[in-house]
Amino acid sequence: MDQRDAPPDPDPAGPRPPSWLDGQVDAGPATGDIEARYRLVTESWAQAVWETDAAGVVVNDSPTWRAYTGQTLDEFLGYGWLNAVHADDRAHAERQWRDATQARTLVDAEFRLRAPGGGWRWTNVRAAPLFDAAGEIQKWVGINIDIDARKRAEDALRESEERQAFLLELSDVLRPLSDAADIERTAAALLGRKLGATRVFYATIDPGGTTWSVIHDYADGVPSNAGRYPLTGFQEARLAQWRSGRMSSVSDSLTDPGLNDDERAAYAVFGARAAIGVPLVANGRFAALLVVNQREPRAWSANDLALTRETAERTWSAIERARAEAALRDRERLLRGVLDGMDEGFGIIGPDFTVLEYNREALRMDGRPRDAIVGLTHWAAFPGTEHSAVGHMLKTAMATREPAVLDHCYTWSGGRSLWLETRVYPTDDGAIAVFWRDITDRKRAADALHDSEKRYRALFTSMDEAYAVVDVLKDDAGRWVDFRFVDANPAFLTHTGMPWPVGRTATDLLGAPNPRWTALYGQALDSGEPLRIEEAEPSLGRVFDLNIFALDPDRHRVAVLFTDITARKRAEERLTTSEERLRSAVEVAKIGLWDWDMRTDTISWSDEHFRMSGFAVGEVTPTYEAWAASIHPDDRAATEAALVTARDTHTEYVREFRCLYPDGTVRWHAARGRFFYDAAGVPIRMIGAQRDTTERREAADHQQILLAELQHRVRNILAVIRSIISRSNDGERSTEEYVQHLQGRISALARTQVLLTRRAGASVDLEDMIRDELLAQVAIDEQFSLSGPDVELSPKAAEVLTLAIHELATNATKYGAFSRIGGHVVVDWAIEARDDSRWLILQWTERGVPIVDAAPRRHGFGSALITRRIPYELKGDGQISFRPGGLHSRIEFPLQPGDSILQTNGVVR
């Protein structure tokens, strides 16, 4: 508030309250009290305070208005203030003001004001007339409250809601469309009408990457630009921006300093002065571009850009869906062609064993029409199979979801029979796929097995994997106990390091068979299912990757194909140990790590990073937006700007900022990271770490508070000592008496300081504490009187109240009752029950002091201690006022336990 706006002192010659007690003293007449409250409210709430004459015309200066708007005094006076109002709001503002001044009513209006540095800010203008005793307006008093942030937030919310409504409409319109071209045309038209754009189109980047093609576009008042165009007209930087998936925008192609002549010419071809480009990068390739054109220059808003980007993403998603569905239909047609072109029979059997599909070859082998098989259960279509080996295989495969194979002979009702190799494979939808191969000729060609055995032996001896055939042995109780090697290839010796094993048992070779291996061989025989497993052989010090399958169940013979993977497993164990060691170190150090792949825009966070951001591990998907949203709004812009600077200048990113957790908690974090670039200097990756520095910052802040309090105490102690020395020499004592008297006062003062600094953790007697402090100030008890019940104060309450009494006593020594003959201090206290708590009510009353002499010259530590720290630290209330005869203070708070801040094992708060 301007000094000329302040109300005059109702009694300039009388005593004025001290500044350190400002707002706490009875200022006299009601008008003065109103003015004081008005000044307190406006100075702490409003950005500008001003006055006009009774007619509503500005005739006085207001420095706050000039500072808020940048107007000069001459520009402000009269109705010149209207020139600071936005042109679109000026008529409304003037009408509101003139109507209010004529109707003598309050003003409450909102409009935009010019800011000193340029631009406009929303303000709330509130004004009221001040009337004299006769009811006539003396003047108008008004304030300006800045509401720019609120208005911008409301605008952003409205834009977000409109954008979401548009995107919902877009999704509804695109959902039934199945043709990619229809989707492009529809989305372009919707977006063009929404933005009021001249043209919107989707351009497909040709495979060579040098040209782009426009098939369809939305055009409003301009010709269509369908055709093929070269990409060479754009700078490599712009192409790199699109290839990396980052959108672009141009407000005016003729003046944009980032464009060259070729690019301006390219924009001119499309008749565009302003444009937005949103690229689609699929599988690392720049595949398409959504373009919005404006024939005239246009400053694109953040909402325009966001709406365009989200429209592009949803449209591309719909196009991909349409293409996927079309591809599915094509694949289904292709599958039908493939199935019918197969040289073996194929069918699908549903979970209820209904035949769902039968291909052409299967129908040929069967000899019946399709409707005689498809739609019936397998048991009805093929009588007699439900309880046969085929039926058992089908039921087992359906139940276990394991593939199976069976050679069998099936005879039709007419007597025709075929040997069939039937293979069964469970499908993801709960059905099973069945393949039939006619092996009748194979069965008749048993003599050819001899040649096949030769080929097998050649493969057996030349393969790199170890291979062995063993007979698994049982004891008399029928348990698998040992195995004998029947055959082995040369690679067996390399992978095991064992001697030639054929004809020998595991007991012969190893001293005792490995019971685990014996059990696995027996399991393969019992189940008839192949096994794939990794198993260690301690006696050999090796680990093997095993494939075990039953070779001849009747002879208890199995085959095993295996590889020595010892080196690989040890490397995996070392890697696992190293990763665990690193993870433990990071978690112990409370460091959150991130790894940002900028090419795919994927980010990974360590578990600690989730926790440091206020989330459970895995609660959110790590993204740049999620990280930015966790930053305190006041720090977000600077933190992101520092990240961009580090990226663009190829320097290390170092930043400390606040994080706002979802539950409202605010924590300080220190982050450090480094970008990595490709050969062209484009950032491709960023790795970094951050840690919580809240406790360090709080400790530093607390240290500053303690230092300030220590400095204050030292200053007060020195002031008191000076006062004691000066008042102890009354000219009537001898030197020896003077020294003794001075020593007594200083000793009392020392006892008080010991109480303040050495009694952490112990309760304090209220009366002893007050008496020690007062004796330290006056050295005689004739100048004060104490009364009240016995009260033991907690360490916390004692520290705060001791400081309060110390400040009141110091003030009395400097200015009040202890500073003059005849002055007296009365301290009384009582205990009062409130809400199941015991409250201490303590009053300090000074007598015999003219108010003018007792007033300190500034708003000091004492006032803040009583009026602000007592409510904060002790959850009570502290008041100070001046009355006839001297200062009066009332202190009240609940008596509750509380640790001393000097307690070495306590928590500093």
Side-chain angles (χ1 to χ4, degrees):
M1 183 175 181
D2 185 47
Q3 291 297 323
R4 285 174 288 181
D5 296 332
D9 192 326
D11 184 8
R16 288 185 56 79
S19 59
W20 67 293
L21 297 173
D22 205 10
Q24 314 244 359
V25 182
D26 185 357
T31 300
D33 186 55
I34 293 173
E35 291 283 349
R37 288 197 297 270
Y38 156 75
R39 185 170 65 253
L40 176 63
V41 171
T42 56
E43 289 178 347
S44 62
W45 188 28
Q47 279 67 47
V49 183
W50 41 268
E51 296 181 355
T52 73
D53 64 11
V57 179
V58 177
V59 295
N60 294 324
D61 184 20
S62 172
T64 55
W65 170 274
R66 289 190 286 104
Y68 187 51
T69 64
Q71 280 193 314
T72 65
L73 177 59
D74 292 337
E75 291 173 337
F76 172 54
L77 295 176
Y79 273 87
W81 59 272
L82 281 169
N83 294 326
V85 180
H86 194 282
D88 295 342
D89 302 340
R90 195 169 297 153
H92 169 72
E94 182 177 11
R95 184 172 60 255
Q96 290 259 353
W97 177 247
R98 292 189 184 276
D99 290 350
T101 55
Q102 291 175 6
R104 298 157 55 98
T105 59
L106 300 176
V107 178
D108 187 355
E110 296 180 357
F111 47 81
R112 287 165 288 182
L113 276 181
R114 185 178 64 199
W120 304 90
R121 295 185 65 82
W122 280 93
T123 186
N124 177 211
V125 177
R126 301 187 183 184
L130 294 184
F131 298 93
D132 59 16
E136 296 297 323
I137 295 178
Q138 290 182 315
K139 59 182 177 180
W140 290 76
V141 179
I143 61 174
N144 286 73
I145 303 169
D146 193 295
I147 60 170
D148 191 72
R150 190 201 77 198
K151 295 292 286 187
R152 292 184 185 277
E154 291 172 352
D155 292 342
L157 177 60
R158 184 181 65 258
E159 290 177 351
S160 176
E161 291 173 345
E162 292 175 354
R163 185 168 70 250
Q164 293 306 317
F166 170 80
L167 294 174
L168 180 60
E169 177 188 5
L170 176 68
S171 298
D172 291 340
V173 172
L174 297 184
R175 189 176 296 111
L177 301 180
S178 59
D179 182 72
D182 290 341
I183 293 172
E184 287 184 4
R185 282 195 297 268
T186 303
L190 283 175
L191 180 61
R193 287 192 290 270
K194 177 65 176 177
L195 295 178
T198 304
R199 182 186 291 110
V200 179
F201 61 89
Y202 285 84
T204 301
I205 310 304
D206 296 332
T210 59
T211 60
W212 59 353
S213 299
V214 179
I215 307 301
H216 311 286
D217 65 351
Y218 163 82
D220 183 13
V222 295
S224 171
N225 68 338
R228 177 174 293 178
Y229 303 89
L231 278 171
T232 54
F234 293 93
Q235 296 183 64
E236 186 59 30
R238 177 55 52 85
L239 293 176
Q241 180 180 4
W242 288 339
R243 290 183 185 119
S244 66
R246 292 175 290 135
M247 67 185 299
S248 64
S249 65
V250 174
S251 298
D252 190 342
S253 62
L254 297 183
T255 61
D256 192 323
L259 302 180
N260 60 20
D261 292 339
D262 290 340
E263 286 184 306
R264 291 190 175 91
Y267 281 105
V269 169
F270 289 91
R273 289 283 296 277
I276 300 175
V278 182
L280 168 64
V281 178
N283 299 322
R285 188 180 75 85
F286 177 31
L289 187 72
L290 169 62
V291 179
V292 178
N293 287 163
Q294 195 73 30
R295 185 164 47 191
E296 302 297 331
R298 176 170 177 175
W300 302 104
S301 68
N303 187 59
D304 295 337
L305 299 175
L307 184 66
T308 303
R309 183 182 65 251
E310 292 172 355
T311 299
E313 292 172 352
R314 296 197 181 201
T315 303
W316 281 321
S317 177
I319 291 172
E320 289 298 317
R321 170 183 56 79
R323 289 174 177 169
E325 291 173 352
L328 178 60
R329 290 192 295 271
D330 292 339
R331 284 196 299 271
E332 289 175 346
R333 287 193 293 270
L334 178 62
L335 178 61
R336 168 54 55 191
V338 170
L339 292 178
D340 287 340
M342 293 172 58
D343 62 356
E344 60 181 356
F346 171 79
I348 297 178
I349 299 177
D352 60 350
F353 296 96
T354 298
V355 180
L356 305 176
E357 185 57 67
Y358 230 55
N359 74 341
R360 185 177 299 166
E361 176 63 16
L363 293 173
R364 186 198 64 77
M365 286 191 295
D366 186 88
R368 291 179 289 174
R370 180 182 179 83
D371 56 7
I373 300 172
V374 176
L376 303 177
T377 66
H378 188 276
W379 325 128
F382 301 95
T385 59
E386 183 173 4
H387 303 292
S388 68
V390 173
H392 175 73
M393 177 186 67
L394 295 178
K395 292 176 182 178
T396 301
M398 192 73 75
T400 64
R401 313 307 300 162
E402 293 289 340
V405 62
L406 177 69
D407 291 348
H408 67 99
C409 184
Y410 181 74
T411 302
W412 280 263
S413 59
R416 184 173 64 93
S417 64
L418 289 176
W419 272 94
L420 300 172
E421 177 192 79
T422 302
R423 303 190 308 278
V424 180
Y425 300 92
T427 62
D428 293 337
D429 58 358
I432 55 176
V434 185
F435 293 83
W436 294 277
R437 184 181 295 275
D438 184 349
I439 61 171
T440 304
D441 292 339
R442 189 184 71 189
K443 286 291 185 178
R444 294 170 181 171
D447 293 341
L449 290 178
H450 180 67
D451 293 336
S452 177
E453 175 65 22
K454 289 182 179 179
R455 290 192 295 271
Y456 156 76
R457 176 57 57 184
L459 175 64
F460 181 70
T461 57
S462 62
M463 61 193 303
D464 293 332
E465 292 84 357
Y467 183 78
V469 177
V470 300
D471 287 341
V472 191
L473 307 178
K474 286 185 175 182
D475 62 10
D476 295 338
R479 295 172 298 192
W480 303 110
V481 294
D482 204 346
F483 52 91
R484 178 183 293 106
F485 287 90
V486 176
D487 203 354
N489 69 345
F492 177 92
L493 305 180
T494 302
H495 285 276
T496 64
M498 295 170 59
W500 183 247
V502 175
R504 305 175 68 182
T505 65
T507 302
D508 297 335
L509 292 168
L510 303 174
N514 186 323
R516 173 68 176 161
W517 288 47
T518 306
L520 291 173
Y521 294 155
Q523 179 182 343
L525 288 170
D526 291 337
S527 66
E529 302 293 336
L531 299 178
R532 175 71 181 270
I533 194 169
E534 292 180 358
E535 192 69 28
E537 176 49 71
S539 64
L540 299 177
R542 302 191 185 195
V543 180
F544 299 96
D545 181 9
L546 303 171
N547 282 280
I548 306 169
F549 50 94
L551 195 61
D552 188 344
D554 293 337
R555 289 191 290 177
H556 300 166
R557 181 166 292 178
V558 300
V560 55
L561 183 70
F562 61 96
T563 305
D564 182 4
I565 60 171
T566 307
R568 190 194 78 193
K569 295 298 290 185
R570 289 175 179 171
E572 291 174 352
E573 291 172 359
R574 289 194 297 270
L575 178 60
T576 300
T577 301
S578 176
E579 290 175 345
E580 288 296 331
R581 187 181 299 114
L582 175 60
R583 185 180 299 109
S584 298
V586 168
E587 291 181 354
V588 169
K590 297 295 183 181
I591 296 175
L593 304 179
W594 77 83
D595 190 347
W596 180 12
D597 188 339
M598 303 176 73
R599 293 167 297 189
T600 61
D601 198 26
T602 56
I603 301 176
S604 62
W605 291 350
S606 68
D607 293 353
E608 187 61 24
H609 197 292
F610 279 96
R611 291 188 283 268
M612 291 177 64
S613 300
F615 302 110
V617 176
E619 181 180 351
V620 299
T621 300
T623 61
Y624 177 91
E625 290 74 17
W627 169 77
S630 70
I631 302 174
H632 194 283
D634 293 344
D635 296 351
R636 189 174 301 154
T639 301
E640 290 187 287
L643 187 73
V644 172
T645 299
R647 180 198 65 196
D648 294 344
T649 59
H650 292 219
T651 57
E652 189 175 29
Y653 172 68
V654 179
R655 187 73 182 175
E656 190 165 10
F657 51 86
R658 289 170 292 175
C659 275
L660 181 61
Y661 285 12
D663 62 359
T665 302
V666 176
R667 305 287 296 181
W668 278 95
H669 287 179
R672 182 181 296 269
R674 178 176 299 171
F675 287 92
F676 298 86
Y677 306 81
D678 61 16
V682 176
I684 59 174
R685 188 181 185 188
M686 183 189 187
I687 298 176
Q690 67 186 56
R691 57 188 178 84
D692 192 316
T693 59
T694 306
E695 286 76 14
R696 175 179 62 77
R697 293 185 68 94
E698 289 178 349
D701 292 342
H702 187 69
Q703 185 179 21
Q704 291 298 321
I705 293 172
L706 293 179
L707 179 60
E709 183 170 311
L710 177 61
Q711 291 172 341
H712 177 75
R713 288 189 182 183
V714 171
R715 287 196 298 270
N716 273 352
I717 291 171
L718 293 176
V720 170
I721 291 175
R722 285 196 299 269
S723 177
I724 290 173
I725 293 173
S726 63
R727 291 190 297 106
S728 296
N729 185 14
D730 54 8
E732 298 178 358
R733 295 184 177 89
S734 66
T735 300
E736 182 176 354
E737 291 174 337
Y738 169 77
V739 170
Q740 292 176 349
H741 191 64
L742 182 61
Q743 287 178 340
R745 291 190 169 187
I746 293 177
S747 296
L749 178 62
R751 287 194 301 274
T752 302
Q753 296 309 307
V754 168
L755 178 64
L756 287 172
T757 60
R758 298 295 186 181
R759 296 198 50 137
S763 61
V764 177
D765 183 85
L766 174 63
E767 182 173 350
D768 290 345
M769 180 270 290
I770 297 174
R771 186 179 303 279
D772 286 348
E773 182 59 42
L774 296 185
L775 288 175
Q777 302 292 344
V778 303
I780 57 175
D781 53 14
E782 285 79 14
Q783 287 187 271
F784 64 89
S785 57
L786 311 178
S787 64
D790 292 339
V791 176
E792 289 291 323
L793 298 176
S794 69
K796 185 73 173 179
E799 288 169 352
V800 177
L801 189 57
T802 298
L803 284 175
I805 297 298
H806 178 77
E807 294 304 322
L808 288 170
T810 300
N811 189 70
T813 301
K814 295 177 180 178
Y815 314 111
F818 295 159
S819 67
R820 62 192 67 248
I821 298 175
H824 192 82
V825 174
V826 176
V827 184
D828 58 87
W829 60 90
I831 301 298
E832 183 177 313
R834 297 183 189 174
D835 299 329
D836 299 328
S837 299
R838 297 171 64 246
W839 281 62
L840 173 67
I841 290 82
L842 184 145
Q843 301 190 75
W844 172 288
T845 305
E846 296 187 24
R847 297 174 180 168
V849 184
I851 189 171
V852 68
D853 293 334
R857 302 303 189 264
R858 63 182 179 84
H859 190 290
F861 178 83
S863 175
L865 174 68
I866 293 172
T867 61
R868 290 156 64 179
R869 184 170 176 182
I870 286 177
Y872 177 75
E873 296 283 354
L874 302 182
K875 312 304 181 192
D877 184 44
Q879 301 177 4
I880 295 179
S881 62
F882 280 89
R883 298 178 178 178
L887 181 145
H888 175 77
S889 176
R890 178 184 175 92
I891 298 172
E892 55 187 42
F893 58 88
L895 293 172
Q896 296 177 347
D899 291 338
S900 166
I901 62 172
L902 299 176
Q903 192 83 12
T904 57
N905 61 351
V907 177
V908 177
R909 292 183 293 273

Coordinates of all heavy atoms in Angstrom, one line a residue, residues 29-39:
P29 N -9.7 4.7 17.8 CA -11.1 4.8 17.2 C -11.3 3.7 16.3 O -10.4 3.1 15.7 CB -11.1 6.2 16.5 CG -10.0 6.9 17.2 CD -9.0 6.0 17.6
A30 N -12.6 3.4 16.0 CA -13.0 2.3 15.1 C -12.4 2.5 13.7 O -12.0 1.6 13.0 CB -14.5 2.2 15.0
T31 N -12.4 3.8 13.2 CA -11.9 4.1 11.9 C -10.4 3.6 11.8 O -10.0 3.0 10.8 CB -12.0 5.6 11.5 OG1 -13.4 5.9 11.6 CG2 -11.5 5.9 10.1
G32 N -9.6 4.0 12.8 CA -8.2 3.6 12.7 C -8.1 2.1 12.7 O -7.2 1.6 12.0
D33 N -8.9 1.4 13.5 CA -8.9 0.0 13.5 C -9.2 -0.6 12.2 O -8.6 -1.6 11.7 CB -9.8 -0.6 14.6 CG -9.7 -2.1 14.8 OD1 -8.5 -2.5 15.0 OD2 -10.7 -2.8 14.7
I34 N -10.2 0.0 11.5 CA -10.6 -0.5 10.2 C -9.5 -0.3 9.2 O -9.2 -1.1 8.4 CB -11.9 0.2 9.7 CG1 -13.1 -0.2 10.6 CG2 -12.2 0.0 8.3 CD1 -14.4 0.5 10.4
E35 N -8.9 0.9 9.3 CA -7.8 1.2 8.4 C -6.6 0.3 8.6 O -6.0 -0.2 7.6 CB -7.3 2.7 8.6 CG -8.3 3.7 8.1 CD -8.3 3.9 6.6 OE1 -7.4 3.4 5.9 OE2 -9.2 4.6 6.1
A36 N -6.4 0.0 9.8 CA -5.2 -1.0 10.1 C -5.5 -2.3 9.6 O -4.7 -3.0 8.9 CB -5.0 -1.0 11.6
R37 N -6.8 -2.8 9.8 CA -7.1 -4.1 9.2 C -7.1 -4.1 7.7 O -6.7 -5.1 7.1 CB -8.5 -4.6 9.8 CG -8.5 -5.0 11.2 CD -9.7 -5.8 11.6 NE -10.9 -5.1 11.4 CZ -11.5 -4.4 12.4 NH1 -10.9 -4.3 13.6 NH2 -12.6 -3.7 12.2
Y38 N -7.6 -3.0 7.2 CA -7.6 -2.9 5.7 C -6.2 -2.9 5.1 O -5.9 -3.6 4.2 CB -8.3 -1.6 5.3 CG -7.9 -1.0 4.0 CD1 -8.4 -1.6 2.8 CD2 -7.0 0.1 3.9 CE1 -8.0 -1.0 1.6 CE2 -6.7 0.6 2.7 CZ -7.1 0.1 1.6 OH -6.8 0.6 0.4
R39 N -5.3 -2.2 5.8 CA -3.9 -2.2 5.4 C -3.3 -3.6 5.5 O -2.6 -4.1 4.6 CB -3.1 -1.2 6.2 CG -1.6 -1.0 5.7 CD -0.9 0.1 6.4 NE -0.8 -0.1 7.8 CZ -1.4 0.5 8.7 NH1 -2.4 1.4 8.4 NH2 -1.2 0.3 10.0

